[in-house]
Every structure is written in structure tokens, then in C-alpha cells.
Amino acid sequence: MSLKAAVLEGDGRSHEALDAHQALVARAPGAALPWTNYGRALAAAGDLPGAIEAYRKSLALDPRQGLAWWGLANLRTVSLGPEDVTSMEQALAGVTEGLNRTQLHYALGKALGDQERFGDSFLHYEAGNKLRGGFTAYSASSLSQAVHETETVFTLAFLKTRQGLGADASDPIFIVGMPRSGSTLVEQILASHPLVEGLGELADLGEVANEAGGPDELDSAGAKALGERYLAAAARRRRTARPFFTDKMPANWRHVGLIQLILPNAKVIDVRREPMACCVSSFTTYFNRQTSFPATLADLGRYYRDYVRAMDHFDGVSPGRVHHVQYERLVDDLEGETRRLLAHLDLPFAAECLRFHENPRAVQTPSAQQVRRPINREGLERWRGYEPWLGPLRSGLQALSPESGVPRSRVRAAD
């Protein structure tokens, strides 16, 4: 039954998955892990009280569960109290398994941060990142080299001679950028439009990119075949007849050039957030073992630089191809920025987009509970509590211009 629930969730059938989780906890009410998984599913569906209750039941059965503690912490609208900190510290002292310890460190980091014990909080985040870095394969130099190759291959001349390749479909809207940049909010806004279906974070484009080989080797038939392969994979997760869909995999910023070759009519949205705030938020978020992402502040700064470098490159060789959304501007002017976003997508304005928090769709990302509330400025300056320990990150970001939180096309517009 647990496998069935996982398959249903992976296939985007969240409400059916809830039924499977309910059957599991009914069958084994004394087992902790099914309650944890049920809590995660309830959180994705927007049932915050139900998620809290399920996580608490799980922890009553086994207080050493890092995944349940992180699930509670990751609700973000819930504060963990001093008694929770004591319970987690006791659990950490008795747990040797690496993944469990990793999740406990992140949960303790969140709880202590909420209590403004920022020094202790940072130490737990640092320990959690160090452990997570041992589980995931990430190479800062490999990413920098990949961005260099992107700049070398995807020149203005290269793209001009390959216009018209790929599949004709205009269905996909790719939302790219850094994790914790506001991309879940942008997808929730778009998924509230009557013509757009939100599919969340799809791994399909990355898989297609791995199969593509060298972009300079793609002919017309090959580019079209890859585009259609992506569309077919995404179609298996679609549940409505809406003509457009979003793919909110942040790391697809690495594949903007490939998108232009295989899906020339697709739209690309880059969501940008102030660098320090964005990177600190990423550092304090537990990503699963399948996510290749930096585990140190220095590497986070380098990752952000490479991301900006790649997006600036495409702004130069394909002006206007990527539409940039600045998170802070979206928070301050929801309607104005939403209207500009919809205009770029050739979509009519829909008032439902401004009521994104009323959308009942399942959301699987760490921002799931935040996008179920009206837009607000909470969290914009939260990173400053950790400022004394952010030297490696600040140094890593120094190579960026003062405007690097703002896409280059916006800087030009402001000049």
C-alpha cells in the first residue's frame, strides 16, 4: 500500500494518494512511519491541522524520527516550542543513522531560529548541510564548466541558424531559478488561471537533456523527437484540458538553451530573489537525497553566480526570450507584476490569479503552506539573524554586481 501511495503521488494523483495513506494508518495505527507519510500528504493537500495531528501521532510513537520533526518544521507556519527542542536534542543524542540525524539537525535549526537563538540554530543547519552533502553528488566545478560550455555553444549565430527546430507545441511554461526564490508562488499564481494547469517540479526535461548528447549534433528530426518525448512525459501527469501547463523544476535554468532547440514555442519564466535572502533560505531547507545542490555557503554563492551568469547569457543572445519576475517586486505589487507576467505569456488577465491562496491544488514544495496564505512580506529579512556567520556566502557573492538580484534586462529598463 505504501508503494501505491508513492506511485499515486508521483503521478500527481494526490487525493487518491490520501486515501491510500488513510488505509495504511488504519491498518497499522501503531506504526510511526505511515503517520509521517500521511502527514506529508496532508500538508501537500493543504490540510494543516490534519498534517500537524498526523506528525504528532507519529512522534508520540517514535520521537526519534527526523523526517517527522522536519515535516513539522517544514510547515513553516508552525513554531516548535522549547519542549520540542528538548525532545529533538534527546533524539539526536540517541540516533546514529545519518539521514535521520540530518533531518533532526534541520528541524532543530528551524526551531531554534524561531526562538531567535540564531547561533545555535546556525550550527545545526551547518551540521545538517554537512551530512546531506555526504549523501548527494554535487560538484561546483562541474556546474561552472557546464555554464561555460553553455556560453560557448549557445551563441547568437548558433541559435539563429537553428530557428524552427523542435516540436511546435506552446503548452509548456517553464519556471526556473534558485530554490526558495518564490517560484512556488509564481506557479500557484499561474495555476490559478483558468487556462493553466500546474504540474509542479517535473524531472522530465533533465532526463531528456541527459539523452540529448551535444546540442550542436541535433538535427531537425532529433530536436522534434526530444521535444515530443518531453511533452509525452508531461502529458502523463496532466489531469485537465487546460491548454497550458507549468513545469516548476528550478534547476531547468541549466537547460534554457535546450528548451529553445526542442520546444521553441515554450515560455520560460526566471524567478529572481535577493541573493543573500535566497541563498540563506536554501541553506536552511532540507532537500532530499535526489537533489544535487550545494551543502556549503561558499558553494551556494558560487551556484548563485553560475545561475545569474547563465541567465544573463541568454538575455544577451535571446533578448526577451526569458521573462524575469523579481520576487520582492511581486510581493509589493502583486497585481502589476501578475499582469506583466500574463501579458508575456499572451494570457488574458484573470482575477483568480490574485486569489492564488484559495487554490486547493496539491503543492509538494517547502513553500506549500506559504502559498496558501495571502501574499505578505514575512520572511524577506529573516536571513539577517544569521548575518554574523555568513562570511563565506557574502564573499562568494561579491563578484556579482549590486544589481545581480535583479535580472539584467530589468537593470537596463531602469537605466
Coordinates of all heavy atoms in Angstrom, one line a residue, residues 100-180:
N100 N 18.6 10.3 9.4 CA 17.8 10.7 10.5 C 18.4 11.9 11.2 O 17.7 12.9 11.6 CB 17.6 9.5 11.5 CG 16.2 9.5 12.1 OD1 15.3 10.2 11.7 ND2 16.0 8.6 13.0
R101 N 19.7 11.8 11.4 CA 20.4 12.9 12.1 C 20.4 14.2 11.3 O 20.2 15.3 11.8 CB 21.9 12.5 12.3 CG 22.1 11.4 13.4 CD 23.6 11.2 13.7 NE 24.2 12.4 14.2 CZ 24.2 12.7 15.5 NH1 23.5 12.0 16.4 NH2 24.8 13.8 15.9
T102 N 20.5 14.0 10.0 CA 20.4 15.2 9.1 C 19.1 15.9 9.2 O 19.1 17.1 9.4 CB 20.6 14.7 7.6 OG1 21.8 14.0 7.4 CG2 20.5 15.9 6.6
Q103 N 18.0 15.2 9.2 CA 16.7 15.8 9.3 C 16.5 16.4 10.7 O 15.9 17.5 10.8 CB 15.6 14.8 9.0 CG 15.7 14.3 7.5 CD 15.1 12.9 7.3 OE1 14.9 12.2 8.2 NE2 14.8 12.6 6.0
L104 N 17.0 15.8 11.7 CA 16.9 16.3 13.1 C 17.7 17.7 13.2 O 17.2 18.6 13.8 CB 17.4 15.3 14.1 CG 16.4 14.2 14.5 CD1 17.2 13.1 15.2 CD2 15.3 14.8 15.4
H105 N 18.8 17.7 12.6 CA 19.6 19.0 12.6 C 18.8 20.1 11.9 O 18.8 21.2 12.4 CB 20.9 18.8 11.9 CG 22.0 18.2 12.7 ND1 22.4 18.7 13.9 CD2 22.8 17.0 12.6 CE1 23.4 18.0 14.5 NE2 23.6 17.0 13.7
Y106 N 18.2 19.8 10.7 CA 17.5 20.9 10.1 C 16.3 21.3 10.9 O 16.0 22.5 11.0 CB 17.0 20.4 8.7 CG 18.0 20.5 7.6 CD1 18.8 19.4 7.3 CD2 18.2 21.7 6.9 CE1 19.8 19.5 6.3 CE2 19.2 21.8 5.9 CZ 19.9 20.7 5.6 OH 20.9 20.8 4.6
A107 N 15.6 20.3 11.5 CA 14.4 20.7 12.3 C 14.8 21.5 13.5 O 14.1 22.5 13.9 CB 13.7 19.4 12.7
L108 N 15.9 21.1 14.2 CA 16.4 21.9 15.3 C 16.8 23.3 14.9 O 16.6 24.3 15.6 CB 17.6 21.2 16.0 CG 17.2 20.2 17.1 CD1 18.4 19.2 17.4 CD2 16.7 20.9 18.3
G109 N 17.5 23.4 13.7 CA 17.8 24.7 13.2 C 16.6 25.6 13.1 O 16.6 26.8 13.4
K110 N 15.5 25.1 12.5 CA 14.3 25.9 12.4 C 13.7 26.3 13.7 O 13.3 27.4 13.9 CB 13.3 25.0 11.6 CG 11.9 25.7 11.5 CD 11.9 27.0 10.7 CE 10.4 27.4 10.3 NZ 9.5 27.6 11.5
A111 N 13.6 25.3 14.6 CA 13.0 25.6 15.9 C 13.8 26.6 16.7 O 13.3 27.6 17.3 CB 12.9 24.3 16.7
L112 N 15.1 26.5 16.7 CA 16.0 27.5 17.4 C 16.0 28.8 16.7 O 16.1 29.9 17.4 CB 17.4 26.9 17.5 CG 17.5 25.7 18.4 CD1 18.9 25.0 18.2 CD2 17.3 26.0 19.9
G113 N 15.9 28.8 15.4 CA 15.8 30.1 14.7 C 14.5 30.8 15.1 O 14.5 32.1 15.3
D114 N 13.4 30.1 15.2 CA 12.1 30.7 15.6 C 12.2 31.3 17.0 O 11.5 32.3 17.3 CB 11.0 29.6 15.6 CG 10.6 29.2 14.2 OD1 10.9 30.0 13.3 OD2 9.9 28.2 14.1
Q115 N 13.1 30.7 17.9 CA 13.3 31.3 19.2 C 14.4 32.4 19.2 O 14.8 32.8 20.3 CB 13.7 30.1 20.2 CG 12.6 29.1 20.3 CD 13.0 27.9 21.1 OE1 13.9 28.0 22.0 NE2 12.4 26.8 20.9
E116 N 14.9 32.7 18.0 CA 15.9 33.7 17.9 C 17.3 33.3 18.5 O 18.1 34.2 18.9 CB 15.5 35.1 18.4 CG 14.3 35.6 17.6 CD 13.9 37.0 17.9 OE1 14.5 37.6 18.8 OE2 12.9 37.6 17.2
R117 N 17.5 32.1 18.7 CA 18.8 31.5 19.1 C 19.6 31.2 17.9 O 19.9 30.1 17.5 CB 18.6 30.3 20.0 CG 17.8 30.6 21.3 CD 17.4 29.3 22.0 NE 18.6 28.4 22.2 CZ 18.5 27.2 22.8 NH1 17.3 26.7 23.1 NH2 19.6 26.4 22.9
F118 N 20.0 32.3 17.2 CA 20.5 32.2 15.8 C 21.8 31.4 15.8 O 22.1 30.7 14.8 CB 20.6 33.5 15.2 CG 19.2 34.1 14.9 CD1 18.9 35.3 15.6 CD2 18.3 33.6 14.0 CE1 17.6 35.9 15.4 CE2 17.1 34.1 13.8 CZ 16.7 35.3 14.5
G119 N 22.7 31.7 16.8 CA 24.0 31.0 16.8 C 23.8 29.5 16.8 O 24.4 28.7 16.1
D120 N 23.0 29.0 17.8 CA 22.8 27.6 17.9 C 22.0 27.0 16.7 O 22.3 25.9 16.2 CB 21.9 27.3 19.2 CG 22.6 27.6 20.5 OD1 23.9 27.5 20.5 OD2 22.0 27.9 21.5
S121 N 21.1 27.8 16.2 CA 20.4 27.4 15.0 C 21.3 27.2 13.8 O 21.3 26.2 13.1 CB 19.3 28.5 14.7 OG 18.8 28.3 13.4
F122 N 22.2 28.2 13.6 CA 23.2 28.1 12.5 C 24.0 26.8 12.6 O 24.3 26.1 11.6 CB 24.0 29.3 12.4 CG 25.0 29.2 11.3 CD1 24.6 29.5 10.0 CD2 26.3 28.8 11.5 CE1 25.5 29.5 8.9 CE2 27.2 28.7 10.4 CZ 26.8 29.1 9.1
L123 N 24.5 26.5 13.8 CA 25.3 25.3 14.0 C 24.6 24.0 13.6 O 25.2 23.1 12.9 CB 25.8 25.2 15.5 CG 26.8 26.2 15.9 CD1 27.1 26.0 17.4 CD2 28.1 26.1 15.1
H124 N 23.3 24.0 13.8 CA 22.5 22.8 13.4 C 22.3 22.8 11.9 O 22.4 21.7 11.3 CB 21.2 22.7 14.1 CG 21.3 22.2 15.5 ND1 21.5 20.9 15.8 CD2 21.2 22.8 16.7 CE1 21.6 20.7 17.1 NE2 21.4 21.9 17.7
Y125 N 22.1 23.9 11.3 CA 21.9 24.0 9.9 C 23.2 23.6 9.2 O 23.3 22.8 8.2 CB 21.5 25.4 9.4 CG 20.1 25.7 9.6 CD1 19.6 26.9 10.1 CD2 19.1 24.8 9.1 CE1 18.3 27.2 10.3 CE2 17.7 25.1 9.3 CZ 17.3 26.3 9.9 OH 16.0 26.6 10.0
E126 N 24.4 24.1 9.7 CA 25.7 23.7 9.2 C 25.9 22.2 9.3 O 26.4 21.6 8.3 CB 26.7 24.5 9.9 CG 28.1 24.5 9.3 CD 29.1 25.4 10.0 OE1 29.1 25.4 11.2 OE2 29.8 26.1 9.3
A127 N 25.6 21.6 10.4 CA 25.8 20.2 10.6 C 24.9 19.4 9.7 O 25.3 18.4 9.1 CB 25.5 19.8 12.1
G128 N 23.6 19.8 9.5 CA 22.7 19.2 8.6 C 23.2 19.2 7.2 O 23.1 18.2 6.4
N129 N 23.7 20.4 6.8 CA 24.2 20.5 5.4 C 25.4 19.6 5.2 O 25.5 19.0 4.1 CB 24.5 22.0 5.1 CG 23.3 22.8 4.6 OD1 23.0 22.7 3.4 ND2 22.7 23.5 5.5
K130 N 26.3 19.6 6.2 CA 27.5 18.7 6.0 C 27.1 17.3 5.8 O 27.6 16.6 5.0 CB 28.4 18.9 7.2 CG 29.7 18.1 7.1 CD 30.6 18.4 8.3 CE 31.9 17.7 8.2 NZ 32.8 18.0 9.3
L131 N 26.1 16.8 6.6 CA 25.7 15.4 6.5 C 25.0 15.2 5.1 O 25.2 14.2 4.4 CB 24.7 15.0 7.6 CG 25.4 14.8 9.0 CD1 24.3 14.7 10.1 CD2 26.2 13.6 9.0
R132 N 24.1 16.1 4.7 CA 23.4 16.0 3.4 C 24.4 16.0 2.3 O 24.2 15.2 1.3 CB 22.4 17.1 3.3 CG 21.6 17.0 2.0 CD 20.7 18.2 1.8 NE 21.4 19.4 1.6 CZ 22.0 19.8 0.5 NH1 21.9 19.0 -0.6 NH2 22.6 20.9 0.4
G133 N 25.5 16.8 2.4 CA 26.5 16.8 1.3 C 27.1 15.4 1.1 O 27.6 15.2 0.0
G134 N 27.1 14.6 2.2 CA 27.7 13.3 2.0 C 26.8 12.3 1.3 O 27.2 11.2 0.9
F135 N 25.5 12.6 1.2 CA 24.5 11.8 0.6 C 24.3 12.1 -0.9 O 23.9 11.2 -1.7 CB 23.1 11.9 1.2 CG 23.1 11.5 2.7 CD1 22.3 12.3 3.6 CD2 23.9 10.5 3.2 CE1 22.3 11.9 4.9 CE2 23.8 10.1 4.5 CZ 23.1 10.9 5.4
T136 N 24.6 13.3 -1.3 CA 24.3 13.7 -2.7 C 25.6 14.1 -3.5 O 26.6 14.5 -2.9 CB 23.4 15.0 -2.7 OG1 24.1 16.0 -1.9 CG2 22.1 14.7 -2.0
A137 N 25.5 13.8 -4.8 CA 26.6 14.1 -5.6 C 26.5 15.5 -6.2 O 25.6 15.9 -6.9 CB 26.7 13.1 -6.8
Y138 N 27.4 16.4 -5.8 CA 27.4 17.8 -6.3 C 28.9 18.2 -6.5 O 29.7 18.1 -5.6 CB 26.7 18.7 -5.3 CG 26.8 20.2 -5.8 CD1 26.0 20.6 -6.8 CD2 27.7 21.0 -5.2 CE1 26.1 21.9 -7.3 CE2 27.8 22.3 -5.7 CZ 27.1 22.8 -6.7 OH 27.2 24.0 -7.2
S139 N 29.1 18.8 -7.6 CA 30.5 19.4 -7.9 C 30.3 20.8 -8.4 O 29.7 21.0 -9.5 CB 31.1 18.5 -9.0 OG 32.3 19.1 -9.5
A140 N 30.8 21.7 -7.6 CA 30.8 23.1 -8.0 C 31.5 23.4 -9.3 O 31.1 24.2 -10.2 CB 31.3 24.0 -6.9
S141 N 32.7 22.8 -9.5 CA 33.5 23.0 -10.7 C 32.8 22.4 -11.9 O 32.9 23.0 -13.0 CB 34.9 22.4 -10.5 OG 34.8 21.0 -10.2
S142 N 32.1 21.3 -11.8 CA 31.4 20.7 -12.9 C 30.3 21.6 -13.4 O 30.1 21.8 -14.6 CB 30.8 19.3 -12.5 OG 31.9 18.4 -12.3
L143 N 29.6 22.2 -12.4 CA 28.5 23.2 -12.8 C 29.1 24.4 -13.5 O 28.5 24.8 -14.5 CB 27.7 23.6 -11.6 CG 26.6 24.6 -11.8 CD1 25.5 23.9 -12.8 CD2 25.9 25.0 -10.5
S144 N 30.1 24.9 -13.0 CA 30.8 26.1 -13.6 C 31.2 25.8 -15.0 O 31.1 26.6 -15.9 CB 31.9 26.6 -12.8 OG 31.5 27.1 -11.5
Q145 N 31.7 24.6 -15.2 CA 32.2 24.2 -16.5 C 31.0 24.0 -17.5 O 31.1 24.4 -18.6 CB 32.9 22.8 -16.4 CG 33.4 22.3 -17.8 CD 34.4 23.2 -18.5 OE1 35.1 24.0 -17.9 NE2 34.4 23.2 -19.8
A146 N 29.9 23.5 -16.9 CA 28.7 23.3 -17.8 C 28.2 24.7 -18.2 O 27.7 24.9 -19.4 CB 27.6 22.6 -17.0
V147 N 28.2 25.7 -17.3 CA 27.8 27.0 -17.7 C 28.7 27.6 -18.8 O 28.3 28.3 -19.7 CB 27.7 27.9 -16.4 CG1 27.4 29.4 -16.9 CG2 26.6 27.4 -15.5
H148 N 30.0 27.4 -18.6 CA 31.0 27.9 -19.6 C 30.7 27.2 -21.0 O 30.7 27.9 -22.0 CB 32.4 27.5 -19.2 CG 33.4 27.8 -20.2 ND1 33.8 29.1 -20.6 CD2 34.1 26.9 -21.0 CE1 34.7 29.0 -21.5 NE2 34.9 27.7 -21.8
E149 N 30.4 25.9 -21.0 CA 30.0 25.3 -22.2 C 28.7 25.8 -22.8 O 28.6 26.0 -24.1 CB 29.9 23.8 -22.0 CG 31.3 23.1 -21.7 CD 31.1 21.7 -21.2 OE1 30.0 21.2 -21.2 OE2 32.2 21.0 -20.9
T150 N 27.8 26.2 -22.0 CA 26.6 26.8 -22.5 C 26.9 28.1 -23.2 O 26.3 28.4 -24.3 CB 25.6 27.0 -21.3 OG1 25.1 25.8 -20.8 CG2 24.4 27.9 -21.7
E151 N 27.7 28.9 -22.6 CA 28.1 30.2 -23.2 C 28.8 30.0 -24.5 O 28.6 30.8 -25.5 CB 28.9 31.0 -22.2 CG 28.2 31.4 -21.0 CD 29.2 32.1 -20.0 OE1 30.3 31.5 -19.8 OE2 28.9 33.1 -19.4
T152 N 29.6 28.9 -24.6 CA 30.4 28.7 -25.8 C 29.5 28.2 -26.9 O 29.7 28.6 -28.1 CB 31.5 27.7 -25.5 OG1 32.3 28.2 -24.4 CG2 32.4 27.4 -26.7
V153 N 28.6 27.3 -26.6 CA 27.8 26.6 -27.7 C 26.6 27.5 -28.1 O 26.4 27.7 -29.3 CB 27.3 25.3 -27.2 CG1 26.3 24.7 -28.2 CG2 28.4 24.3 -26.9
F154 N 25.9 28.0 -27.1 CA 24.6 28.7 -27.5 C 24.9 30.2 -27.8 O 24.5 31.1 -27.0 CB 23.6 28.6 -26.3 CG 23.0 27.2 -26.2 CD1 23.5 26.3 -25.3 CD2 22.0 26.8 -27.1 CE1 23.0 25.0 -25.2 CE2 21.5 25.5 -27.0 CZ 22.0 24.6 -26.0
T155 N 25.5 30.4 -28.9 CA 25.8 31.8 -29.3 C 24.6 32.3 -30.1 O 23.7 31.6 -30.5 CB 27.1 31.8 -30.2 OG1 26.8 31.0 -31.4 CG2 28.3 31.3 -29.4
L156 N 24.6 33.6 -30.4 CA 23.6 34.2 -31.2 C 23.5 33.5 -32.6 O 22.4 33.2 -33.1 CB 23.9 35.7 -31.4 CG 22.9 36.5 -32.2 CD1 21.5 36.5 -31.6 CD2 23.3 38.0 -32.3
A157 N 24.7 33.3 -33.2 CA 24.7 32.7 -34.5 C 24.2 31.2 -34.5 O 23.5 30.8 -35.3 CB 26.2 32.7 -35.1
F158 N 24.6 30.5 -33.4 CA 24.1 29.1 -33.3 C 22.6 29.0 -33.2 O 22.0 28.2 -33.9 CB 24.8 28.5 -32.0 CG 24.3 27.1 -31.7 CD1 25.0 26.0 -32.2 CD2 23.3 26.9 -30.8 CE1 24.6 24.7 -32.0 CE2 22.9 25.6 -30.6 CZ 23.6 24.5 -31.1
L159 N 22.0 29.9 -32.4 CA 20.6 29.9 -32.2 C 19.9 30.3 -33.5 O 18.8 29.8 -33.8 CB 20.2 30.7 -31.0 CG 20.6 30.1 -29.6 CD1 20.3 31.2 -28.5 CD2 19.8 28.9 -29.3
K160 N 20.4 31.3 -34.1 CA 19.8 31.9 -35.3 C 19.7 30.8 -36.4 O 18.7 30.7 -37.2 CB 20.6 33.1 -35.8 CG 19.9 33.8 -37.0 CD 20.6 35.1 -37.3 CE 19.9 35.9 -38.4 NZ 20.6 37.2 -38.7
T161 N 20.8 30.0 -36.6 CA 20.8 29.0 -37.7 C 19.9 27.8 -37.3 O 19.7 27.0 -38.2 CB 22.2 28.5 -37.9 OG1 22.7 28.0 -36.7 CG2 23.1 29.7 -38.4
R162 N 19.4 27.8 -36.1 CA 18.6 26.6 -35.7 C 17.1 27.0 -35.4 O 16.4 26.3 -34.7 CB 19.2 25.9 -34.5 CG 20.4 25.1 -35.0 CD 21.4 24.8 -33.8 NE 22.5 23.9 -34.3 CZ 23.5 24.4 -34.9 NH1 23.6 25.7 -35.2 NH2 24.5 23.6 -35.3
Q163 N 16.7 28.2 -35.8 CA 15.4 28.6 -35.6 C 14.4 27.6 -36.4 O 14.7 27.2 -37.5 CB 15.1 30.0 -36.1 CG 15.8 31.1 -35.2 CD 15.5 32.5 -35.7 OE1 15.1 32.7 -36.9 NE2 15.8 33.5 -34.9
G164 N 13.3 27.3 -35.7 CA 12.3 26.4 -36.4 C 12.5 25.0 -36.1 O 11.7 24.1 -36.5
L165 N 13.6 24.6 -35.4 CA 13.7 23.2 -35.0 C 12.8 22.9 -33.8 O 12.3 23.8 -33.1 CB 15.2 22.9 -34.5 CG 16.3 23.1 -35.5 CD1 17.6 22.6 -34.9 CD2 16.0 22.4 -36.8
G166 N 12.6 21.6 -33.6 CA 11.8 21.2 -32.4 C 10.3 21.0 -32.6 O 9.8 21.2 -33.7
A167 N 9.6 20.6 -31.5 CA 8.2 20.4 -31.6 C 7.5 21.8 -31.5 O 7.9 22.7 -30.8 CB 7.8 19.5 -30.4
D168 N 6.4 21.9 -32.2 CA 5.6 23.1 -32.3 C 4.8 23.5 -31.1 O 4.4 24.7 -31.0 CB 4.7 23.1 -33.5 CG 5.4 23.0 -34.9 OD1 6.6 23.5 -34.9 OD2 4.9 22.5 -35.8
A169 N 4.6 22.6 -30.2 CA 3.6 22.9 -29.1 C 4.0 24.1 -28.3 O 5.2 24.4 -28.0 CB 3.6 21.7 -28.2
S170 N 3.0 24.8 -27.8 CA 3.3 26.0 -27.0 C 2.7 25.8 -25.6 O 2.6 26.7 -24.8 CB 2.6 27.2 -27.6 OG 1.2 27.0 -27.7
D171 N 2.4 24.5 -25.2 CA 1.8 24.2 -23.9 C 2.7 24.5 -22.7 O 2.2 25.0 -21.7 CB 1.5 22.7 -23.8 CG 0.7 22.1 -25.0 OD1 0.8 22.7 -26.1 OD2 0.0 21.2 -24.8
P172 N 4.0 24.2 -22.8 CA 4.8 24.3 -21.5 C 5.2 25.7 -21.1 O 5.5 26.6 -22.0 CB 6.1 23.5 -21.9 CG 5.8 22.8 -23.2 CD 4.8 23.6 -23.9
I173 N 5.1 26.0 -19.9 CA 5.6 27.2 -19.2 C 6.6 26.7 -18.2 O 6.3 26.2 -17.2 CB 4.5 28.0 -18.6 CG1 3.4 28.4 -19.6 CG2 5.1 29.3 -17.9 CD1 2.2 29.0 -18.9
F174 N 7.9 27.0 -18.5 CA 9.0 26.5 -17.6 C 9.2 27.7 -16.6 O 9.5 28.8 -16.9 CB 10.2 26.2 -18.3 CG 10.1 25.0 -19.2 CD1 9.8 25.1 -20.5 CD2 10.3 23.7 -18.6 CE1 9.7 24.0 -21.3 CE2 10.2 22.6 -19.4 CZ 9.9 22.7 -20.8
I175 N 9.2 27.3 -15.3 CA 9.5 28.3 -14.2 C 10.8 27.9 -13.6 O 10.9 26.8 -13.0 CB 8.4 28.3 -13.1 CG1 7.1 28.7 -13.8 CG2 8.7 29.3 -12.0 CD1 5.9 28.5 -12.9
V176 N 11.9 28.7 -13.8 CA 13.2 28.3 -13.4 C 13.8 29.3 -12.4 O 13.2 30.4 -12.1 CB 14.1 28.2 -14.6 CG1 13.5 27.3 -15.6 CG2 14.4 29.6 -15.2
G177 N 14.9 28.9 -11.8 CA 15.6 29.8 -10.9 C 16.2 29.1 -9.7 O 16.4 27.9 -9.8
M178 N 16.6 29.8 -8.7 CA 17.1 29.2 -7.5 C 16.0 28.6 -6.6 O 14.8 29.1 -6.7 CB 17.8 30.2 -6.6 CG 19.1 30.8 -7.2 SD 20.5 29.6 -6.9 CE 20.6 29.6 -5.1
P179 N 16.2 27.5 -5.9 CA 15.3 27.1 -4.9 C 15.0 28.2 -3.9 O 15.9 29.1 -3.7 CB 16.0 25.9 -4.2 CG 17.0 25.4 -5.2 CD 17.4 26.6 -5.9
R180 N 13.8 28.3 -3.3 CA 13.4 29.3 -2.3 C 13.5 30.7 -2.9 O 13.7 31.7 -2.2 CB 14.4 29.2 -1.1 CG 14.5 27.8 -0.5 CD 13.2 27.3 0.0 NE 12.7 28.2 1.1 CZ 11.4 28.3 1.3 NH1 10.5 27.7 0.6 NH2 11.0 29.1 2.3

